[in-house]
Amino acid sequence: MEQTAARQDGTENGVFAPSAEDVAAIEAWFAGYDALAERGAVEEIAGLAVFPLNLATDVPGGSAAVRQWSREEFVEVMTEVMGGGTAGLAMESVRTPRFLTANLVLVETETTMTDEEGNRQSTRYADLLVRTADGWAFQTMVQGGWGHGWPPATRG
């Protein structure tokens, strides 16, 4: 049986193997993001993104929809969506980072939100985080249900 050894760049048999520090950095990034979301600090959240921001979602009727947002579009939509923040919600999130390389990580999140009346809503979404000179940033958001009024995606 062939032995495998991690190379200096963190790859093992051509696949990046994140260290505990790599995973902790992603967890810390999301802790900071969640704190901003709790306050409704949309402008600061926008500072954690790379624009244009890619979005993939679906539209009623069973098709996917994709779009790119500028910083201005992101701030406008997220201000409307987040309102005054998530402080009135109990949030339980489980995040699973999947490192493609040392600089690209897909993070799947399963979240359950409970409002002050005890109503619960669960959702699953994913983000692509990219390492920049200034640290981690999100560049692509994937979540169902955002595409009301968006044109369906077309091939070619």
Side-chain angles (χ1 to χ4, degrees):
M1 179 182 263
E2 186 177 320
Q3 271 198 348
T4 61
R7 296 186 337 209
Q8 200 164 13
D9 66 0
T11 60
E12 189 171 296
N13 290 335
V15 176
F16 179 74
S19 68
E21 292 81 16
D22 293 322
V23 175
I26 297 301
E27 290 170 349
W29 186 91
F30 273 104
Y33 178 95
D34 289 345
L36 294 173
E38 187 172 324
R39 294 192 347 248
V42 175
E43 284 286 347
E44 291 176 69
I45 291 171
L48 299 176
V50 172
F51 294 96
L53 183 68
N54 293 311
L55 293 100
T57 188
D58 53 8
V59 295
S63 296
V66 295
R67 170 176 271 186
Q68 287 187 326
W69 276 346
S70 66
R71 181 186 177 102
E72 294 76 21
E73 290 170 307
F74 174 84
V75 169
E76 178 183 332
V77 171
M78 296 310 282
T79 297
E80 183 179 318
V81 170
M82 295 179 104
T86 60
L89 298 173
M91 305 274 290
E92 299 171 34
S93 297
V94 176
R95 292 194 170 98
T96 305
R98 301 192 188 285
F99 284 80
L100 304 178
T101 70
N103 302 308
L104 302 170
V105 60
L106 291 170
V107 181
E108 183 180 348
T109 302
E110 294 188 29
T111 296
T112 300
M113 299 167 278
T114 307
D115 66 18
E116 293 168 339
E117 289 83 41
N119 301 309
R120 294 171 57 92
Q121 180 178 349
S122 296
T123 188
R124 179 180 299 146
Y125 60 92
D127 296 293
L128 172 64
L129 272 60
V130 298
R131 189 186 307 267
T132 71
D134 299 318
W136 288 104
F138 65 102
Q139 201 293 310
T140 299
M141 298 176 6
V142 181
Q143 183 177 7
W146 284 74
H148 297 279
W150 292 18
T154 57
R155 291 172 37 162

